[in-house]
Amino acid sequence: QKEVEQNSGPLSVPEGAIASLNCTYSDRGSQSFFWYRQYSGKSPELIMFIYSNGDKEDGRFTAQLNKASQYVSLLIRDSQPSDSATYLCAVNGPSSASKIIFGSGTRLSIRP
Amino acid sequence: ETGVTQSPTHLIKTRGQQVTLRCSSQSGHNTVSWYQQALGQGPQFIFQYYREEENGRGNFPPRFSGLQFPNYSSELNVNALELDDSALYLCASSPRRSDTEAFFGQGTRLTVV
């Protein structure tokens, strides 16, 4: 079992709709959870982080964390073509010491 | 812009050669981590340096080594290059050791031929 699992996609969403990206993780000791956006040929860019159960909103982005289900999600409202990218879910916690463990990413495509 | 800079941006090496990649961390950040990202995969943790000491290592062979300098900049050295070492190498700096978000540089694209 992979430590962080994501559906590789591609996920195709019409412009203006809500894009929903999901991620599960295996280490119950994980404490910090991140979403990175990566455009083709570029490095990952941190867009959201969440530490506590529940929702965290930042502009058009909402991160959701459910530690009991070991599940993290990212919602993107009013999707724009510029949101087309690969979204990487990542976790960090006491069991993984100093490292951040990434999933393989979900490719999101926003169609006009 | 994250303030993390890496050099060079692109590099082509021959199998068996050695390579050194460099990273300048963001001002105020004392922790640097290195990651390898193969095409279509997420970044894989190589190691982390905190105040010039190695602070955790991923599942990479000893031919991957590193250094951190007093100004918190860092180097990644790879000896005896193999074709599978072709990847994007990412440096990330953090304001604190572990359990915090990391900010990535633009990466170095290494091609081994």
PDB file of all heavy atoms in Angstrom, chain A residues 31-32 34 36 38 42-44 46 49 51 88 92-93 97-100 102-104, chain B residues 35 37 40-43 45 48 55-56 90 98-106:
ATOM      1  N   GLN A  31       0.534  14.341  10.909  1.00  0.00           N
ATOM      2  CA  GLN A  31      -0.023  15.505  11.600  1.00  0.00           C
ATOM      3  C   GLN A  31      -0.228  16.718  10.714  1.00  0.00           C
ATOM      4  O   GLN A  31      -1.026  17.589  11.028  1.00  0.00           O
ATOM      5  CB  GLN A  31       0.909  15.896  12.758  1.00  0.00           C
ATOM      6  CG  GLN A  31       0.962  14.872  13.866  1.00  0.00           C
ATOM      7  CD  GLN A  31       1.741  15.368  15.060  1.00  0.00           C
ATOM      8  OE1 GLN A  31       2.586  16.248  14.938  1.00  0.00           O
ATOM      9  NE2 GLN A  31       1.468  14.812  16.221  1.00  0.00           N
ATOM     10  N   SER A  32       0.517  16.801   9.622  1.00  0.00           N
ATOM     11  CA  SER A  32       0.427  17.968   8.747  1.00  0.00           C
ATOM     12  C   SER A  32       0.111  17.499   7.336  1.00  0.00           C
ATOM     13  O   SER A  32       0.657  16.490   6.874  1.00  0.00           O
ATOM     14  CB  SER A  32       1.754  18.738   8.735  1.00  0.00           C
ATOM     15  OG  SER A  32       2.180  19.018  10.045  1.00  0.00           O
ATOM     16  N   PHE A  34      -0.721  18.759   3.211  1.00  0.00           N
ATOM     17  CA  PHE A  34      -0.450  19.840   2.271  1.00  0.00           C
ATOM     18  C   PHE A  34      -1.017  19.510   0.887  1.00  0.00           C
ATOM     19  O   PHE A  34      -1.093  18.353   0.486  1.00  0.00           O
ATOM     20  CB  PHE A  34       1.066  20.053   2.129  1.00  0.00           C
ATOM     21  CG  PHE A  34       1.794  20.157   3.443  1.00  0.00           C
ATOM     22  CD1 PHE A  34       2.401  19.035   3.995  1.00  0.00           C
ATOM     23  CD2 PHE A  34       1.866  21.353   4.123  1.00  0.00           C
ATOM     24  CE1 PHE A  34       3.074  19.115   5.204  1.00  0.00           C
ATOM     25  CE2 PHE A  34       2.533  21.446   5.333  1.00  0.00           C
ATOM     26  CZ  PHE A  34       3.147  20.324   5.872  1.00  0.00           C
ATOM     27  N   TYR A  36      -0.062  20.764  -2.987  1.00  0.00           N
ATOM     28  CA  TYR A  36       0.826  21.505  -3.869  1.00  0.00           C
ATOM     29  C   TYR A  36       0.247  21.468  -5.283  1.00  0.00           C
ATOM     30  O   TYR A  36      -0.321  20.470  -5.714  1.00  0.00           O
ATOM     31  CB  TYR A  36       2.225  20.887  -3.891  1.00  0.00           C
ATOM     32  CG  TYR A  36       3.060  21.154  -2.661  1.00  0.00           C
ATOM     33  CD1 TYR A  36       2.923  20.375  -1.505  1.00  0.00           C
ATOM     34  CD2 TYR A  36       4.000  22.178  -2.656  1.00  0.00           C
ATOM     35  CE1 TYR A  36       3.701  20.615  -0.390  1.00  0.00           C
ATOM     36  CE2 TYR A  36       4.788  22.425  -1.537  1.00  0.00           C
ATOM     37  CZ  TYR A  36       4.634  21.646  -0.412  1.00  0.00           C
ATOM     38  OH  TYR A  36       5.404  21.892   0.694  1.00  0.00           O
ATOM     39  N   GLN A  38       1.381  21.837  -9.311  1.00  0.00           N
ATOM     40  CA  GLN A  38       2.571  21.763 -10.144  1.00  0.00           C
ATOM     41  C   GLN A  38       2.178  21.872 -11.617  1.00  0.00           C
ATOM     42  O   GLN A  38       1.496  21.001 -12.150  1.00  0.00           O
ATOM     43  CB  GLN A  38       3.347  20.456  -9.899  1.00  0.00           C
ATOM     44  CG  GLN A  38       4.679  20.402 -10.622  1.00  0.00           C
ATOM     45  CD  GLN A  38       5.518  19.207 -10.219  1.00  0.00           C
ATOM     46  OE1 GLN A  38       5.001  18.155  -9.829  1.00  0.00           O
ATOM     47  NE2 GLN A  38       6.837  19.342 -10.301  1.00  0.00           N
ATOM     48  N   LYS A  42       7.427  22.690 -14.184  1.00  0.00           N
ATOM     49  CA  LYS A  42       7.738  23.607 -13.079  1.00  0.00           C
ATOM     50  C   LYS A  42       7.833  22.852 -11.762  1.00  0.00           C
ATOM     51  O   LYS A  42       7.516  21.671 -11.681  1.00  0.00           O
ATOM     52  CB  LYS A  42       6.651  24.694 -12.971  1.00  0.00           C
ATOM     53  CG  LYS A  42       6.468  25.504 -14.235  1.00  0.00           C
ATOM     54  CD  LYS A  42       7.696  26.327 -14.563  1.00  0.00           C
ATOM     55  CE  LYS A  42       7.445  27.229 -15.754  1.00  0.00           C
ATOM     56  NZ  LYS A  42       8.669  27.990 -16.121  1.00  0.00           N
ATOM     57  N   SER A  43       8.258  23.555 -10.708  1.00  0.00           N
ATOM     58  CA  SER A  43       8.356  22.923  -9.391  1.00  0.00           C
ATOM     59  C   SER A  43       7.031  23.053  -8.647  1.00  0.00           C
ATOM     60  O   SER A  43       6.199  23.906  -8.986  1.00  0.00           O
ATOM     61  CB  SER A  43       9.490  23.567  -8.587  1.00  0.00           C
ATOM     62  OG  SER A  43       9.212  24.935  -8.375  1.00  0.00           O
ATOM     63  N   PRO A  44       6.798  22.217  -7.631  1.00  0.00           N
ATOM     64  CA  PRO A  44       5.551  22.295  -6.869  1.00  0.00           C
ATOM     65  C   PRO A  44       5.435  23.610  -6.112  1.00  0.00           C
ATOM     66  O   PRO A  44       6.421  24.135  -5.591  1.00  0.00           O
ATOM     67  CB  PRO A  44       5.662  21.119  -5.888  1.00  0.00           C
ATOM     68  CG  PRO A  44       6.662  20.194  -6.494  1.00  0.00           C
ATOM     69  CD  PRO A  44       7.636  21.079  -7.209  1.00  0.00           C
ATOM     70  N   LEU A  46       3.208  25.412  -3.006  1.00  0.00           N
ATOM     71  CA  LEU A  46       2.293  25.156  -1.891  1.00  0.00           C
ATOM     72  C   LEU A  46       1.061  26.051  -2.012  1.00  0.00           C
ATOM     73  O   LEU A  46       1.178  27.272  -2.114  1.00  0.00           O
ATOM     74  CB  LEU A  46       3.006  25.434  -0.571  1.00  0.00           C
ATOM     75  CG  LEU A  46       2.185  25.238   0.694  1.00  0.00           C
ATOM     76  CD1 LEU A  46       1.828  23.764   0.877  1.00  0.00           C
ATOM     77  CD2 LEU A  46       2.954  25.752   1.909  1.00  0.00           C
ATOM     78  N   PHE A  49      -2.357  24.234   3.382  1.00  0.00           N
ATOM     79  CA  PHE A  49      -1.936  23.277   4.387  1.00  0.00           C
ATOM     80  C   PHE A  49      -3.004  23.243   5.475  1.00  0.00           C
ATOM     81  O   PHE A  49      -3.695  24.234   5.716  1.00  0.00           O
ATOM     82  CB  PHE A  49      -0.567  23.619   4.974  1.00  0.00           C
ATOM     83  CG  PHE A  49      -0.477  24.965   5.634  1.00  0.00           C
ATOM     84  CD1 PHE A  49      -0.768  25.122   6.976  1.00  0.00           C
ATOM     85  CD2 PHE A  49      -0.087  26.076   4.904  1.00  0.00           C
ATOM     86  CE1 PHE A  49      -0.680  26.356   7.582  1.00  0.00           C
ATOM     87  CE2 PHE A  49       0.000  27.323   5.500  1.00  0.00           C
ATOM     88  CZ  PHE A  49      -0.291  27.469   6.843  1.00  0.00           C
ATOM     89  N   TYR A  51      -3.906  21.293   9.460  1.00  0.00           N
ATOM     90  CA  TYR A  51      -3.395  20.491  10.564  1.00  0.00           C
ATOM     91  C   TYR A  51      -4.511  19.849  11.388  1.00  0.00           C
ATOM     92  O   TYR A  51      -4.288  18.843  12.062  1.00  0.00           O
ATOM     93  CB  TYR A  51      -2.536  21.353  11.502  1.00  0.00           C
ATOM     94  CG  TYR A  51      -1.349  22.014  10.837  1.00  0.00           C
ATOM     95  CD1 TYR A  51      -1.021  23.335  11.136  1.00  0.00           C
ATOM     96  CD2 TYR A  51      -0.556  21.328   9.930  1.00  0.00           C
ATOM     97  CE1 TYR A  51       0.070  23.947  10.550  1.00  0.00           C
ATOM     98  CE2 TYR A  51       0.534  21.937   9.335  1.00  0.00           C
ATOM     99  CZ  TYR A  51       0.846  23.252   9.644  1.00  0.00           C
ATOM    100  OH  TYR A  51       1.919  23.871   9.048  1.00  0.00           O
ATOM    101  N   LEU A  88      -0.606  17.786  -6.081  1.00  0.00           N
ATOM    102  CA  LEU A  88       0.088  16.800  -5.249  1.00  0.00           C
ATOM    103  C   LEU A  88      -0.392  16.914  -3.815  1.00  0.00           C
ATOM    104  O   LEU A  88      -0.353  17.995  -3.221  1.00  0.00           O
ATOM    105  CB  LEU A  88       1.598  17.052  -5.290  1.00  0.00           C
ATOM    106  CG  LEU A  88       2.283  16.928  -6.648  1.00  0.00           C
ATOM    107  CD1 LEU A  88       3.644  17.595  -6.617  1.00  0.00           C
ATOM    108  CD2 LEU A  88       2.436  15.465  -7.027  1.00  0.00           C
ATOM    109  N   ASN A  92       3.052  14.886   6.456  1.00  0.00           N
ATOM    110  CA  ASN A  92       4.244  14.930   7.301  1.00  0.00           C
ATOM    111  C   ASN A  92       3.801  14.669   8.729  1.00  0.00           C
ATOM    112  O   ASN A  92       2.755  15.123   9.157  1.00  0.00           O
ATOM    113  CB  ASN A  92       4.893  16.298   7.166  1.00  0.00           C
ATOM    114  CG  ASN A  92       6.061  16.484   8.103  1.00  0.00           C
ATOM    115  OD1 ASN A  92       5.869  16.664   9.292  1.00  0.00           O
ATOM    116  ND2 ASN A  92       7.250  16.455   7.577  1.00  0.00           N
ATOM    117  N   GLY A  93       4.589  13.926   9.479  1.00  0.00           N
ATOM    118  CA  GLY A  93       4.193  13.671  10.854  1.00  0.00           C
ATOM    119  C   GLY A  93       5.288  12.968  11.610  1.00  0.00           C
ATOM    120  O   GLY A  93       6.357  12.718  11.064  1.00  0.00           O
ATOM    121  N   ALA A  97       9.144  11.400  10.551  1.00  0.00           N
ATOM    122  CA  ALA A  97      10.229  12.283  10.999  1.00  0.00           C
ATOM    123  C   ALA A  97      10.251  13.573  10.203  1.00  0.00           C
ATOM    124  O   ALA A  97       9.289  14.298  10.157  1.00  0.00           O
ATOM    125  CB  ALA A  97      11.558  11.533  10.939  1.00  0.00           C
ATOM    126  N   SER A  98      11.353  13.800   9.522  1.00  0.00           N
ATOM    127  CA  SER A  98      11.544  15.111   8.927  1.00  0.00           C
ATOM    128  C   SER A  98      11.044  15.207   7.502  1.00  0.00           C
ATOM    129  O   SER A  98      11.089  16.266   6.918  1.00  0.00           O
ATOM    130  CB  SER A  98      13.032  15.443   8.963  1.00  0.00           C
ATOM    131  OG  SER A  98      13.767  14.418   8.349  1.00  0.00           O
ATOM    132  N   LYS A  99      10.583  14.117   6.912  1.00  0.00           N
ATOM    133  CA  LYS A  99      10.294  14.180   5.494  1.00  0.00           C
ATOM    134  C   LYS A  99       8.815  14.413   5.225  1.00  0.00           C
ATOM    135  O   LYS A  99       7.947  14.070   6.012  1.00  0.00           O
ATOM    136  CB  LYS A  99      10.747  12.908   4.804  1.00  0.00           C
ATOM    137  CG  LYS A  99      10.011  11.653   5.248  1.00  0.00           C
ATOM    138  CD  LYS A  99      10.588  10.425   4.551  1.00  0.00           C
ATOM    139  CE  LYS A  99       9.889   9.151   5.022  1.00  0.00           C
ATOM    140  NZ  LYS A  99      10.492   7.961   4.386  1.00  0.00           N
ATOM    141  N   ILE A 100       8.555  15.005   4.076  1.00  0.00           N
ATOM    142  CA  ILE A 100       7.201  15.139   3.567  1.00  0.00           C
ATOM    143  C   ILE A 100       7.031  14.059   2.511  1.00  0.00           C
ATOM    144  O   ILE A 100       7.873  13.894   1.632  1.00  0.00           O
ATOM    145  CB  ILE A 100       6.969  16.538   2.973  1.00  0.00           C
ATOM    146  CG1 ILE A 100       7.089  17.601   4.076  1.00  0.00           C
ATOM    147  CG2 ILE A 100       5.605  16.621   2.318  1.00  0.00           C
ATOM    148  CD1 ILE A 100       6.934  19.019   3.579  1.00  0.00           C
ATOM    149  N   PHE A 102       4.920  12.548  -0.570  1.00  0.00           N
ATOM    150  CA  PHE A 102       4.013  12.999  -1.610  1.00  0.00           C
ATOM    151  C   PHE A 102       3.273  11.835  -2.259  1.00  0.00           C
ATOM    152  O   PHE A 102       3.822  10.738  -2.406  1.00  0.00           O
ATOM    153  CB  PHE A 102       4.793  13.737  -2.707  1.00  0.00           C
ATOM    154  CG  PHE A 102       5.273  15.097  -2.311  1.00  0.00           C
ATOM    155  CD1 PHE A 102       6.446  15.252  -1.597  1.00  0.00           C
ATOM    156  CD2 PHE A 102       4.553  16.223  -2.670  1.00  0.00           C
ATOM    157  CE1 PHE A 102       6.893  16.513  -1.236  1.00  0.00           C
ATOM    158  CE2 PHE A 102       4.989  17.483  -2.321  1.00  0.00           C
ATOM    159  CZ  PHE A 102       6.163  17.632  -1.596  1.00  0.00           C
ATOM    160  N   GLY A 103       2.062  12.120  -2.689  1.00  0.00           N
ATOM    161  CA  GLY A 103       1.376  11.217  -3.598  1.00  0.00           C
ATOM    162  C   GLY A 103       1.885  11.454  -5.016  1.00  0.00           C
ATOM    163  O   GLY A 103       2.709  12.352  -5.253  1.00  0.00           O
ATOM    164  N   SER A 104       1.385  10.663  -5.946  1.00  0.00           N
ATOM    165  CA  SER A 104       1.851  10.784  -7.332  1.00  0.00           C
ATOM    166  C   SER A 104       1.164  11.911  -8.091  1.00  0.00           C
ATOM    167  O   SER A 104       1.578  12.241  -9.206  1.00  0.00           O
ATOM    168  CB  SER A 104       1.610   9.468  -8.073  1.00  0.00           C
ATOM    169  OG  SER A 104       2.391   8.444  -7.502  1.00  0.00           O
TER     170      SER A 104
ATOM    171  N   TYR B  35      14.673  16.511  -2.904  1.00  0.00           N
ATOM    172  CA  TYR B  35      13.740  15.535  -3.437  1.00  0.00           C
ATOM    173  C   TYR B  35      14.108  15.204  -4.878  1.00  0.00           C
ATOM    174  O   TYR B  35      14.631  16.058  -5.610  1.00  0.00           O
ATOM    175  CB  TYR B  35      12.298  16.077  -3.424  1.00  0.00           C
ATOM    176  CG  TYR B  35      11.717  16.256  -2.037  1.00  0.00           C
ATOM    177  CD1 TYR B  35      12.014  17.385  -1.275  1.00  0.00           C
ATOM    178  CD2 TYR B  35      10.872  15.293  -1.491  1.00  0.00           C
ATOM    179  CE1 TYR B  35      11.478  17.541  -0.006  1.00  0.00           C
ATOM    180  CE2 TYR B  35      10.328  15.451  -0.231  1.00  0.00           C
ATOM    181  CZ  TYR B  35      10.641  16.579   0.498  1.00  0.00           C
ATOM    182  OH  TYR B  35      10.114  16.731   1.762  1.00  0.00           O
ATOM    183  N   GLN B  37      12.272  13.895  -8.388  1.00  0.00           N
ATOM    184  CA  GLN B  37      10.967  13.679  -8.995  1.00  0.00           C
ATOM    185  C   GLN B  37      11.144  13.114 -10.403  1.00  0.00           C
ATOM    186  O   GLN B  37      11.575  13.817 -11.317  1.00  0.00           O
ATOM    187  CB  GLN B  37      10.142  14.970  -9.055  1.00  0.00           C
ATOM    188  CG  GLN B  37       8.714  14.732  -9.540  1.00  0.00           C
ATOM    189  CD  GLN B  37       7.851  15.984  -9.501  1.00  0.00           C
ATOM    190  OE1 GLN B  37       8.350  17.100  -9.516  1.00  0.00           O
ATOM    191  NE2 GLN B  37       6.531  15.788  -9.440  1.00  0.00           N
ATOM    192  N   GLY B  40       6.139  11.909 -14.112  1.00  0.00           N
ATOM    193  CA  GLY B  40       4.854  11.307 -13.789  1.00  0.00           C
ATOM    194  C   GLY B  40       4.710  10.840 -12.358  1.00  0.00           C
ATOM    195  O   GLY B  40       3.692  10.246 -11.999  1.00  0.00           O
ATOM    196  N   GLN B  41       5.699  11.126 -11.529  1.00  0.00           N
ATOM    197  CA  GLN B  41       5.672  10.704 -10.127  1.00  0.00           C
ATOM    198  C   GLN B  41       5.695  11.913  -9.204  1.00  0.00           C
ATOM    199  O   GLN B  41       6.030  13.020  -9.624  1.00  0.00           O
ATOM    200  CB  GLN B  41       6.875   9.807  -9.823  1.00  0.00           C
ATOM    201  CG  GLN B  41       6.938   8.545 -10.659  1.00  0.00           C
ATOM    202  CD  GLN B  41       5.754   7.637 -10.401  1.00  0.00           C
ATOM    203  OE1 GLN B  41       5.369   7.398  -9.262  1.00  0.00           O
ATOM    204  NE2 GLN B  41       5.159   7.128 -11.470  1.00  0.00           N
ATOM    205  N   GLY B  42       5.345  11.678  -7.949  1.00  0.00           N
ATOM    206  CA  GLY B  42       5.506  12.725  -6.958  1.00  0.00           C
ATOM    207  C   GLY B  42       6.962  12.788  -6.496  1.00  0.00           C
ATOM    208  O   GLY B  42       7.725  11.849  -6.701  1.00  0.00           O
ATOM    209  N   PRO B  43       7.344  13.891  -5.889  1.00  0.00           N
ATOM    210  CA  PRO B  43       8.720  13.999  -5.371  1.00  0.00           C
ATOM    211  C   PRO B  43       9.001  12.935  -4.308  1.00  0.00           C
ATOM    212  O   PRO B  43       8.146  12.647  -3.475  1.00  0.00           O
ATOM    213  CB  PRO B  43       8.745  15.409  -4.766  1.00  0.00           C
ATOM    214  CG  PRO B  43       7.646  16.156  -5.457  1.00  0.00           C
ATOM    215  CD  PRO B  43       6.588  15.141  -5.707  1.00  0.00           C
ATOM    216  N   PHE B  45      11.586  11.891  -1.202  1.00  0.00           N
ATOM    217  CA  PHE B  45      12.515  12.492  -0.246  1.00  0.00           C
ATOM    218  C   PHE B  45      13.871  11.820  -0.318  1.00  0.00           C
ATOM    219  O   PHE B  45      13.980  10.598  -0.217  1.00  0.00           O
ATOM    220  CB  PHE B  45      11.920  12.352   1.157  1.00  0.00           C
ATOM    221  CG  PHE B  45      12.783  12.834   2.271  1.00  0.00           C
ATOM    222  CD1 PHE B  45      12.899  14.189   2.524  1.00  0.00           C
ATOM    223  CD2 PHE B  45      13.445  11.945   3.100  1.00  0.00           C
ATOM    224  CE1 PHE B  45      13.666  14.645   3.587  1.00  0.00           C
ATOM    225  CE2 PHE B  45      14.204  12.393   4.159  1.00  0.00           C
ATOM    226  CZ  PHE B  45      14.323  13.746   4.399  1.00  0.00           C
ATOM    227  N   GLN B  48      17.382  15.489   4.396  1.00  0.00           N
ATOM    228  CA  GLN B  48      17.161  16.834   4.917  1.00  0.00           C
ATOM    229  C   GLN B  48      18.370  17.257   5.742  1.00  0.00           C
ATOM    230  O   GLN B  48      18.986  16.433   6.424  1.00  0.00           O
ATOM    231  CB  GLN B  48      15.909  16.883   5.798  1.00  0.00           C
ATOM    232  CG  GLN B  48      15.565  18.272   6.323  1.00  0.00           C
ATOM    233  CD  GLN B  48      14.401  18.238   7.297  1.00  0.00           C
ATOM    234  OE1 GLN B  48      14.530  17.907   8.467  1.00  0.00           O
ATOM    235  NE2 GLN B  48      13.218  18.583   6.800  1.00  0.00           N
ATOM    236  N   ASN B  55      19.428  15.365   8.862  1.00  0.00           N
ATOM    237  CA  ASN B  55      18.303  15.182   9.779  1.00  0.00           C
ATOM    238  C   ASN B  55      17.242  14.300   9.139  1.00  0.00           C
ATOM    239  O   ASN B  55      16.097  14.679   9.030  1.00  0.00           O
ATOM    240  CB  ASN B  55      17.711  16.558  10.124  1.00  0.00           C
ATOM    241  CG  ASN B  55      16.552  16.465  11.082  1.00  0.00           C
ATOM    242  OD1 ASN B  55      16.626  15.806  12.103  1.00  0.00           O
ATOM    243  ND2 ASN B  55      15.439  17.116  10.739  1.00  0.00           N
ATOM    244  N   GLY B  56      17.641  13.143   8.695  1.00  0.00           N
ATOM    245  CA  GLY B  56      16.690  12.231   8.072  1.00  0.00           C
ATOM    246  C   GLY B  56      17.089  11.953   6.642  1.00  0.00           C
ATOM    247  O   GLY B  56      17.583  12.840   5.933  1.00  0.00           O
ATOM    248  N   LEU B  90      14.696  18.614  -6.737  1.00  0.00           N
ATOM    249  CA  LEU B  90      14.073  19.757  -6.087  1.00  0.00           C
ATOM    250  C   LEU B  90      14.676  19.986  -4.719  1.00  0.00           C
ATOM    251  O   LEU B  90      14.878  19.049  -3.947  1.00  0.00           O
ATOM    252  CB  LEU B  90      12.563  19.512  -5.932  1.00  0.00           C
ATOM    253  CG  LEU B  90      11.781  19.389  -7.239  1.00  0.00           C
ATOM    254  CD1 LEU B  90      10.449  18.698  -6.988  1.00  0.00           C
ATOM    255  CD2 LEU B  90      11.550  20.770  -7.836  1.00  0.00           C
ATOM    256  N   SER B  98      11.288  19.863  10.423  1.00  0.00           N
ATOM    257  CA  SER B  98      10.152  18.937  10.388  1.00  0.00           C
ATOM    258  C   SER B  98       8.807  19.591  10.654  1.00  0.00           C
ATOM    259  O   SER B  98       8.696  20.709  11.124  1.00  0.00           O
ATOM    260  CB  SER B  98      10.362  17.775  11.351  1.00  0.00           C
ATOM    261  OG  SER B  98      10.093  18.137  12.679  1.00  0.00           O
ATOM    262  N   ASP B  99       7.788  18.891  10.289  1.00  0.00           N
ATOM    263  CA  ASP B  99       6.406  19.217  10.617  1.00  0.00           C
ATOM    264  C   ASP B  99       5.972  20.608  10.160  1.00  0.00           C
ATOM    265  O   ASP B  99       5.229  21.293  10.833  1.00  0.00           O
ATOM    266  CB  ASP B  99       6.222  19.117  12.141  1.00  0.00           C
ATOM    267  CG  ASP B  99       4.795  18.690  12.470  1.00  0.00           C
ATOM    268  OD1 ASP B  99       4.175  18.031  11.636  1.00  0.00           O
ATOM    269  OD2 ASP B  99       4.322  19.032  13.563  1.00  0.00           O
ATOM    270  N   THR B 100       6.461  21.039   9.042  1.00  0.00           N
ATOM    271  CA  THR B 100       6.098  22.356   8.564  1.00  0.00           C
ATOM    272  C   THR B 100       6.125  22.360   7.037  1.00  0.00           C
ATOM    273  O   THR B 100       6.703  21.491   6.421  1.00  0.00           O
ATOM    274  CB  THR B 100       7.056  23.427   9.112  1.00  0.00           C
ATOM    275  OG1 THR B 100       6.602  24.714   8.701  1.00  0.00           O
ATOM    276  CG2 THR B 100       8.462  23.215   8.592  1.00  0.00           C
ATOM    277  N   GLU B 101       5.486  23.373   6.484  1.00  0.00           N
ATOM    278  CA  GLU B 101       5.424  23.435   5.032  1.00  0.00           C
ATOM    279  C   GLU B 101       6.798  23.738   4.448  1.00  0.00           C
ATOM    280  O   GLU B 101       7.626  24.386   5.073  1.00  0.00           O
ATOM    281  CB  GLU B 101       4.412  24.491   4.596  1.00  0.00           C
ATOM    282  CG  GLU B 101       4.711  25.892   5.097  1.00  0.00           C
ATOM    283  CD  GLU B 101       4.024  26.196   6.413  1.00  0.00           C
ATOM    284  OE1 GLU B 101       3.809  25.273   7.226  1.00  0.00           O
ATOM    285  OE2 GLU B 101       3.705  27.377   6.648  1.00  0.00           O
ATOM    286  N   ALA B 102       7.016  23.239   3.237  1.00  0.00           N
ATOM    287  CA  ALA B 102       8.281  23.434   2.537  1.00  0.00           C
ATOM    288  C   ALA B 102       8.040  24.233   1.268  1.00  0.00           C
ATOM    289  O   ALA B 102       7.010  24.078   0.617  1.00  0.00           O
ATOM    290  CB  ALA B 102       8.902  22.083   2.206  1.00  0.00           C
ATOM    291  N   PHE B 103       9.002  25.094   0.936  1.00  0.00           N
ATOM    292  CA  PHE B 103       8.906  25.935  -0.250  1.00  0.00           C
ATOM    293  C   PHE B 103       9.999  25.515  -1.228  1.00  0.00           C
ATOM    294  O   PHE B 103      11.173  25.496  -0.874  1.00  0.00           O
ATOM    295  CB  PHE B 103       9.044  27.407   0.138  1.00  0.00           C
ATOM    296  CG  PHE B 103       7.943  27.858   1.061  1.00  0.00           C
ATOM    297  CD1 PHE B 103       8.104  27.799   2.440  1.00  0.00           C
ATOM    298  CD2 PHE B 103       6.743  28.313   0.561  1.00  0.00           C
ATOM    299  CE1 PHE B 103       7.083  28.190   3.306  1.00  0.00           C
ATOM    300  CE2 PHE B 103       5.716  28.714   1.414  1.00  0.00           C
ATOM    301  CZ  PHE B 103       5.889  28.650   2.778  1.00  0.00           C
ATOM    302  N   PHE B 104       9.590  25.212  -2.443  1.00  0.00           N
ATOM    303  CA  PHE B 104      10.505  24.633  -3.410  1.00  0.00           C
ATOM    304  C   PHE B 104      11.183  25.668  -4.294  1.00  0.00           C
ATOM    305  O   PHE B 104      10.590  26.695  -4.641  1.00  0.00           O
ATOM    306  CB  PHE B 104       9.746  23.652  -4.317  1.00  0.00           C
ATOM    307  CG  PHE B 104       9.404  22.354  -3.647  1.00  0.00           C
ATOM    308  CD1 PHE B 104       8.202  22.190  -2.984  1.00  0.00           C
ATOM    309  CD2 PHE B 104      10.295  21.292  -3.667  1.00  0.00           C
ATOM    310  CE1 PHE B 104       7.884  20.990  -2.363  1.00  0.00           C
ATOM    311  CE2 PHE B 104       9.983  20.085  -3.053  1.00  0.00           C
ATOM    312  CZ  PHE B 104       8.784  19.937  -2.399  1.00  0.00           C
ATOM    313  N   GLY B 105      12.416  25.358  -4.665  1.00  0.00           N
ATOM    314  CA  GLY B 105      13.086  26.078  -5.731  1.00  0.00           C
ATOM    315  C   GLY B 105      12.568  25.617  -7.074  1.00  0.00           C
ATOM    316  O   GLY B 105      11.696  24.739  -7.153  1.00  0.00           O
ATOM    317  N   GLN B 106      13.127  26.152  -8.135  1.00  0.00           N
ATOM    318  CA  GLN B 106      12.630  25.856  -9.481  1.00  0.00           C
ATOM    319  C   GLN B 106      13.087  24.495  -9.991  1.00  0.00           C
ATOM    320  O   GLN B 106      12.572  24.000 -10.981  1.00  0.00           O
ATOM    321  CB  GLN B 106      13.038  26.959 -10.472  1.00  0.00           C
ATOM    322  CG  GLN B 106      14.471  26.849 -10.990  1.00  0.00           C
ATOM    323  CD  GLN B 106      15.487  27.454 -10.045  1.00  0.00           C
ATOM    324  OE1 GLN B 106      15.264  27.586  -8.833  1.00  0.00           O
ATOM    325  NE2 GLN B 106      16.619  27.837 -10.598  1.00  0.00           N
TER     326      GLN B 106
END
